[in-house]
Amino acid sequence: MSPRPNQEIRAAAKARIAELKKTRDEAHAAAERAKEQADEAMWKAIAAELDEGQALQLDAAEATGFSRDHVLRRTKKYRTNQD
């Protein structure tokens, strides 16, 4: 069995571990922001397709695999032409 590390060695190791956790958390936050931005870009583009009359909600639902209701809810804030 190896001897237990002294307080100084443990403190240095804890600091390195805390830095690793911070790096991980920042990477997760960046990934979450990227996901949100990708979602927003997609829903804006789908809303534009719907506004231009190039597609129906049913087409968007079939192409994305989401329900028509989900497509409606997610595109509603980006629509300019809501009849």
Side-chain angles (χ1 to χ4, degrees):
M1 190 174 203
S2 61
R4 292 180 62 96
N6 66 31
Q7 290 291 59
E8 186 178 312
I9 291 171
R10 288 178 60 206
K14 283 171 72 174
R16 289 190 302 272
I17 292 168
E19 189 60 35
L20 291 168
K21 172 77 166 67
K22 179 182 171 192
T23 300
R24 173 204 172 263
D25 291 347
E26 289 169 353
H28 280 224
E32 197 59 40
R33 281 190 303 277
K35 271 179 54 176
E36 289 170 3
Q37 290 170 348
D39 281 352
E40 183 176 10
M42 181 185 80
W43 292 116
K44 277 183 179 179
I46 291 172
E49 291 282 345
L50 298 174
D51 281 347
E52 292 168 5
Q54 300 299 309
L56 301 174
Q57 270 184 357
L58 178 63
D59 300 327
E62 288 176 0
T64 60
F66 295 117
S67 70
R68 287 182 62 207
D69 186 54
H70 187 74
V71 170
L72 172 66
R73 284 185 279 121
R74 293 302 305 262
T75 59
K76 192 169 191 160
K77 65 181 172 183
Y78 306 115
R79 301 287 304 268
T80 57
N81 233 7
Q82 295 185 17
D83 326 82

